[in-house]
Amino acid sequence: MSKKRPRAQPNVDTQLVELYDDLANENEGIRIKAAEAFSIKFSRTNNNSTQLISEALRRLIRGLCSSRYAARLGFSVALTEFLSQHWGIPSSTTGDLQISQLIDVLVKQTEVTGKVAGQEERDHHIGRVFGARAFIQSGILLQEDVPANAWDRTLDVIYEAAKNKPWLREMCGGILYEAAQMISEADHDPTFIRNLISKLDSFGLAKTPEGVAIWLKVHKNFPKAELPTGIWRDENPIHKKEKSELARIMKETSIAERSDGENPEKLQKGSWTPKLHFAWNVILAELNREIPAEGRKEKSKTVRFKDFWQVAVDEHLFASTSSVERKYWGFLLFQQWFGSASRLLLPALFSPRFVRCLTNQLASKERYLHLAAEKTVKSIMSRADLEPSVASIALRGLLANTSDQNLSFDILTKTKTVEKLMVLGDDSSLRHFVPELCDKLVRPGVNDEKDASARRQITIDQLTFLLKSRQSSVKQDPHSSDSLGLTCHILEVLATYSYFSMEKSHPNLADCPVPPMSERTQQTLRSRLSTCLSFLLTRNSDPAFFASHVVDVILRHEANEPMHSILELTGTLGETIPNARTFLENIHNQALSESRDKPTLHAFELLYSLTILQLYNGDPDAVSILGELRSCYDLLVERRQTADQVGPEVFVEILLSFVSKPSQLFRRLAQQVFTTFTPIVQHDGLRSMIKVLETEENLSGQDEMFEDDTVHSMDSSSDDDSAVGEVDMTNSNEVPSLSDADEDSPASSERDSGQIQSDDVDEEVAVFEAKLSRTLEAGESTDEDMNDEQMEALDETIASIFKERKKVVSKKKQKMNAKETIVNFKCRVLELLEIFIKQRHKEQLALDLLVPLLTVTRTTTSKIVSVKACNVMRSFSKLCKGQAVPRVEDQDAIIKLLKEVHVEAMQKAHANACSQASLLLVKVLVANGKESLDDIFDIYSKTQRSLLDPRLQDTPSVTVRVGTGEGQQSWTIQKKLLTFHSTFFAAALNGGFNEAITSTVELDEDHPQAFQLFVHWLYAGRFVVVSLRDGGSVPSFLCVVWALGHKLNCLAFQDYALLQLMVHYHETHLESDVLVDAYRLTPPGSKLRQYVVVEFLFQIKWGSSEEESGDLLSPGCWDIDRLGLGDFNRDALTRMVETRGILRAPSEDADRYLLLGVLDLED
């Protein structure tokens, strides 16, 4: 039986199969490498057979029909290079395949045969277009010896696909656009371009977005080419008379007509895509190219960019009836064009419909295009950040086209777009933008007074914020000429319309407000002017510069007849204003010429300018203040020898009158001027300020402080009401907060202090309700028999009850306002005292403030006043360290102060503040000599004894057992005494612990002898350790004592133990065991650790002898390893940095305590 012959296995090139697989890979790098390997394998030098080349061509074309996008890209690149290799040489053919026959291969391999799925059919059409693109990009069709029909047939393939398959039209248009670009770059035969453009018309695609783009490319690169006639006017799609047609085409609703005008054929449209058509950027490039050079006017037939945008984009894409998809295209267009268009074209982009659509979409996150609108705003910000001059263009566009002019763009959109643009803009361009804002202020565009006031309010806020942003900008120099010019212009506008009205006979009619400024608007202008001056007060080396400029503007307008001042200059005022102007000019000129007294002269100029401004604001005291300032000037500047007699006290009184006013401006003014004149303030001046702190916070206190009957409302919002918004320029250009809201507002202080007289209010409410109830019940009981007269009598009774209630409510409001007035006055005086302490804390005069600060801390009903007073005290204590401790000549006076502080401490309401003041005075006394140590101990001892109430004898006692075993000791101590001094015992004995039930506390881990000292201190207020029974080290034992005080949480006992340790080391040097114990027994950052580190550094620097200093550093003396090396090294290095400049050779024994003064003994 014969065997079957085995079937022959096909010869498969596995390498080629792998290359085909890699050409379809999703990774672009792999596809590129595969295309290169394929090109090498089929290079002409390899002499591949015709059959192999034909098969490779067929396989590449078939690969273009893949449903995978990556495969189309990879096979397209390989096909382009393959065609260029084998048919890119003139007169070359490969076997029997000529270039003209390649088109047949392409059409045949991409032809759809039989019944196939829709997706497969789409893949074949796409593959055919990709193949035609490869033919064009390879350049084989543009060779001289290639038949013309090859080029024409390729164009036919592309045009047919574009016409019959709308979803391929944009791709086909892009291929033809690239072909036109390639022909122009290679300078090929014009026949190619003529055939390309003629087929555009013959296929009816001339009036499509693709046709417009191709036409513009040909028109630009081939000016001599013969273009089809009768399609566009002057053969130019962007002709100004073709703008409507062009807009219709770009909207993609076109009806294409053949050139002969017969049988209009409606072109089918493709589906919407979220990507912009490439034709838009082609049109923009042409319109950009048509911009005439600056300073040259040319008559052009090309449509203006503004007209094209309005017709093609604003009216079509942003119309109220446009779909969401078209509006999305509009936002994409704006984003692209705003980022790339010439700066001269940008104003046209902010068309009314666009701004309205942007506003609506930004207003709510629920809008479909909210994210697109946000990206649009980001594109504006991005270019404004790169080109600051663009910011003013965007501001004009947004503000001029806001749909509701009664509300600002930022309010409508709930964003800070306008504010950020003001921050990003440059001074030169914004300086030209200010007049436009001023025009909106003068002529808001409506005649209704209410609407005009609303629009003017927005403009005023924008002017105010613009001024603040320019002065706070990190990109711009606030002292540049442009910045100063912009700021001064805004101030001039605010000042002019704040205090003057204009007649129609004014030389510049455009400056006359229409309608006239209302009183409310002028009041807002004055408020914003005050806000701006307050903000600018510390922004210039000359603090009086801007205030003086404003006053100069006002006084110049005063002499202008068509300008009418709101202030009636009659009687005394008629003489005061001219004299004030002359005197102010003299101060200004003197400040410019003198350098020695420049700060003083600037301070007087600032005070005088703002007093004149206050005169125009209607302050009745302004005239007298001008006279007092003139007297102070004569005393302090002209005749300096009498300055210490009267001038400083009067000057402080003037500053206090400014501080009492409800204005942020005058608060900063007082701080600025007081900083200059602090060196001349004496005891009488401080007494005037202390008097304010002693004032009662009620109606009687207000009447005492302010002699007239005027209620001085200290509501800080009166100056800065509705303050202009805040910019976080922390990111892009980081602008600090610009709000002027007073953090010490009376509202907050009232919230802190609680309701005033709430019991009285409740009682009065109950009385009111009882009266009303009785009246109504009486009326109901006789309702059937009541006549008209009785009904009227009942109405009158009810009305009288409500009138009484209204009086009660009014009285309560007066009490509350009076408290707010005094509270804010005290807060501002405390701010001035803090300035005084910062400058003169080294003088004994500053110590006179301690007791008044403690008194106001105890007596005030406002928490914010109490906190501010404590902060001043804390600041004083921190400043008095090292060499900064005050030098005193009269120690008896300091001892007296210390006694007064301890008397205050007996009140128990402000123990921490009293502790700070007491330790500060002790620090001063110790730094000025050790003679007062006995007095200090005696005062502390008396304070402790005075705290012992005789009734303690009748209070329950507590047994405290300390230690373990035979060494345990016990004490019986009054419970109230223990719990008063120690929060540890208070928690144990007053809670639900077992100690509270048994009245026994066990301290097993503590030292009995240390607790014995604590008991002695409780009853005597002092203790002295001379020696120990076991012969141990006294300093080490004092460390144990301090640690016990820390455990018991008794601050006074801890400080007393630390003072004992300081006294001990006044005569000897620090031992290593003490340093070890200090770090072993106490937590990080404790006062004991701080002290031993300072003492260590002191002795290292200034040991009593060279040998002693050396011993301190020797390994035999200091066992640093036992200390916890990291903690000690860190603390020592930190203290060395903090005390640099203090570590110097001591000139006397007291300097040792100057160094120890760096130890802050406050809680």
Side-chain angles (χ1 to χ4, degrees), residues 27-88:
N27 188 304
E28 182 181 5
I30 296 177
R31 293 199 305 267
I32 296 298
K33 290 182 179 180
E36 292 176 355
F38 189 89
S39 177
I40 294 172
K41 182 174 182 62
F42 288 94
S43 64
R44 296 178 63 89
T45 57
N46 288 341
N47 297 322
N48 293 299
S49 64
T50 303
Q51 181 181 358
L52 188 58
I53 292 175
S54 300
E55 180 60 23
L57 176 64
R58 185 191 65 81
R59 184 64 184 86
L60 289 174
I61 294 175
R62 293 296 296 177
L64 297 176
C65 299
S66 172
S67 59
R68 292 186 294 170
Y69 182 70
R72 296 170 191 161
L73 295 177
F75 279 90
S76 177
V77 171
L79 178 60
T80 302
E81 186 62 26
F82 184 78
L83 293 173
S84 179
Q85 278 186 335
H86 293 278
W87 288 274

Side-chain angles (χ1 to χ4, degrees), residues 519-582:
E519 176 60 30
R520 182 177 179 181
T521 300
Q522 285 191 314
Q523 192 174 10
T524 302
L525 284 165
R526 290 193 289 271
S527 173
R528 294 301 183 273
L529 179 62
S530 177
T531 299
C532 292
L533 290 176
S534 174
F535 178 78
L536 294 169
L537 201 57
T538 57
R539 301 279 171 170
N540 197 292
S541 57
D542 178 5
F545 176 81
F546 294 109
S548 177
H549 178 73
V550 169
V551 173
D552 182 62
V553 170
I554 294 174
L555 296 179
R556 278 192 284 108
H557 286 327
E558 197 68 65
N560 194 348
E561 291 186 359
M563 308 283 287
H564 292 283
S565 171
I566 63 173
L567 183 67
E568 295 292 337
L569 297 181
T570 58
T572 307
L573 288 179
E575 300 176 359
T576 302
I577 295 298
N579 294 336
R581 181 176 184 178
T582 302

Side-chain angles (χ1 to χ4, degrees), residues 504-517:
K504 292 185 178 179
S505 58
H506 193 276
N508 190 357
L509 189 60
D511 292 340
C512 297
V514 179
M517 297 279 183

Side-chain angles (χ1 to χ4, degrees), residues 437-458:
L437 280 179
C438 297
D439 290 341
K440 294 180 66 176
L441 176 66
V442 176
R443 299 179 183 274
V446 290
N447 294 324
D448 182 72
E449 183 177 342
K450 185 176 180 180
D451 291 342
S453 297
R455 296 188 179 189
R456 282 169 172 162
Q457 173 79 39
I458 294 171

Side-chain angles (χ1 to χ4, degrees), residues 167 249 282 436 483 506 522 533 575 581 606 679 750 795-796 845 861 880 936 974 1103-1104 1152:
W167 44 274
I249 292 170
V282 176
E436 299 179 23
S483 180
H506 193 276
Q522 285 191 314
L533 290 176
E575 300 176 359
R581 181 176 184 178
L606 175 62
E750 189 60 47
D795 290 341
E796 291 178 0
L845 179 61
T861 59
C880 294
I936 294 172
Q974 284 81 7
S1104 58
R1152 175 190 185 89

